[in-house]
Structure formats: structure tokens, C-alpha cells
Amino acid sequence: FRTTPVNSQAKTLGINKHNTRFVVKKIHYLFFLILVSTNIEAQKDTIPSKLSFHADLRFRSEQDWNSRKSDNTYREDRTRFRYRVRAGLTYDLNSWASFGTRLRTGYREKQQDPHLTFGEGNEFGTLPLGFEQAFFKVEKDGYTFWVGKNTFPFQNQNELFWSSIIYPEGFFLKKHFQFPSNFINEVDIRGGYFLLSNDNAFKEYGS
């Protein structure tokens, strides 16, 4: 039989313990790095999933012949190059609440015409921009509520009744009902309170 000195055994055990502690530390560091990187990636994935961005650009050539002015007199024939730019975003706070906003081109006194004409006005000045939408919205348990400036929330038969590019300001509430019937499947009850201005005088409209 061969015996190993005690000192040699202690040295051998000491080296093994040192190596073991070194390996454990490396595993801890590696696990920590993986955990941190996973949390960072999760946060990066969460914010974009709740935030949506949208934008559009419209450009057209407009032939304006034999048209009349507001005083019913004829204007000279003209060809105009016109454009409209819109950009907005929506952020979902959770599964039932969100808020959104959208900017668009257009002069404030021409709320039904968001288009601008190349060469009209101050060519080297800034573009007229305004908020087309700015709202907070809640949808839960069949209820829909929003406050701010948003799309027209009622049935619109045609443009003569309400232009689709005019966004009312106020608040809106809707309740949706569903029925297990072949005669009536669902019913919506809608109501709102809006403020409109005419010649710098605000008017109140309820529905």
C-alpha cells in the first residue's frame, strides 16, 4: 500500500476547493448576465408592443377650371399641386385603456381642408400644423368611453351631414348589448357631449 502525506492531501484538497469556488462564481456570473439580458430584452419587447405609430402622405394634381369664389364670381383657371401629411401614435396603457394623438397639415380656419398648395403662402416659412386627434379611451365590459378630440362616433350617412375629416371635441359613451335572439343580435346605445366653434363663439352640442 502507498500512503500520501497529510500535507500533500491538504494541498490537493485545497486546490480542488479553489477550483470549485472559481467554477461556482463563473456559473453565478453567467446566470446573472443571462438574467439581466433577458430582462432588458423583455422591456424592449414590451414598449413597442404597446406603442403603435402611423403616418401617411397624400399628393395630387388638381385642375380647377370654371370655379367660383365665395362671392359667386368666377376665378381664373388654375392647376394646383396639393399635399397632406399626417402622423400619429397610440399607446395601450393596459388591455382596456389607451391614449392617442395625431398631427396633420392644414390651416386652422379651413378645418374641412387639410391640404396645402405648393407655392401658396410663405414658401420659406413653417408649415401650419394642428392636432387632429388627442384622446384618452377606455373599452371594458361592453362600455366604450373617450374624452378629448377623436373621430365622429355616430352613424354618418354621407358627407353632407358630417365631413369625415372633422373631429369633434368633448366626450363620448357607448354601451354594447348582445342578445341570444335571431331577431335582434346586438344593440348599441351611444351618447356624447361636444363643443364646436363658429366665428370664434363656442357652441355646445349634446346627443
Side-chain angles (χ1 to χ4, degrees):
F1 295 95
R2 183 178 178 181
T3 58
T4 303
V6 177
N7 293 337
S8 176
Q9 290 181 356
K11 291 180 179 180
T12 303
L13 292 175
I15 293 174
N16 292 335
K17 290 181 180 179
H18 176 74
N19 291 338
T20 303
R21 286 195 298 269
F22 179 72
V23 171
V24 171
K25 286 182 179 179
K26 290 184 67 176
I27 293 175
H28 287 171
Y29 290 148
L30 181 61
F31 179 75
F32 176 74
L33 290 175
I34 293 175
L35 194 62
V36 170
S37 62
T38 302
N39 289 335
I40 293 176
E41 290 298 328
Q43 292 178 3
K44 288 182 179 179
D45 292 338
T46 300
I47 295 177
S49 64
K50 292 185 176 183
L51 183 65
S52 60
F53 176 80
H54 49 275
D56 63 81
L57 168 65
R58 175 188 294 177
F59 173 79
R60 72 186 185 196
S61 175
E62 186 176 286
Q63 308 291 336
D64 196 3
W65 299 335
N66 298 324
S67 64
R68 296 175 182 267
K69 300 179 182 178
S70 58
D71 58 1
N72 204 33
T73 60
Y74 284 97
R75 62 166 55 92
E76 296 182 2
D77 295 343
R78 59 185 179 177
T79 300
R80 299 187 296 174
F81 297 101
R82 314 199 73 199
Y83 66 96
R84 183 198 68 183
V85 179
R86 298 189 304 181
L89 58 86
T90 303
Y91 184 78
D92 296 326
L93 296 174
N94 47 48
S95 61
W96 50 268
S98 63
F99 66 86
T101 182
R102 184 165 70 188
L103 289 170
R104 80 170 190 191
T105 55
Y107 293 98
R108 183 178 180 182
E109 61 273 14
K110 298 180 180 180
Q111 60 177 348
Q112 298 188 47
D113 185 12
H115 298 86
L116 299 178
T117 302
F118 282 108
E120 184 180 67
N122 185 5
E123 293 84 357
F124 300 101
T126 58
L127 294 177
L129 296 173
F131 281 98
E132 186 176 59
Q133 290 180 317
F135 63 89
F136 173 75
K137 186 177 182 179
V138 173
E139 292 181 287
K140 191 173 183 180
D141 298 332
Y143 288 94
T144 300
F145 170 80
W146 61 256
V147 59
K149 187 176 180 67
N150 205 351
T151 54
F152 187 69
F154 301 102
Q155 183 69 28
N156 188 15
Q157 299 295 334
N158 52 59
E159 291 287 327
L160 295 177
F161 176 72
W162 189 276
S163 176
S164 60
I165 59 176
I166 297 180
Y167 297 82
E169 300 177 34
F171 64 85
F172 168 74
L173 177 64
K174 181 185 78 172
K175 173 59 177 174
H176 179 75
F177 297 92
Q178 288 185 331
F179 303 98
S181 172
N182 295 327
F183 181 68
I184 299 178
N185 295 326
E186 55 186 16
V187 173
D188 287 344
I189 299 178
R190 308 185 183 203
Y193 183 81
F194 307 102
L195 297 173
L196 302 178
S197 63
N198 184 15
D199 296 331
N200 295 326
F202 282 96
K203 295 183 178 181
E204 301 179 357
Y205 291 86
S207 178

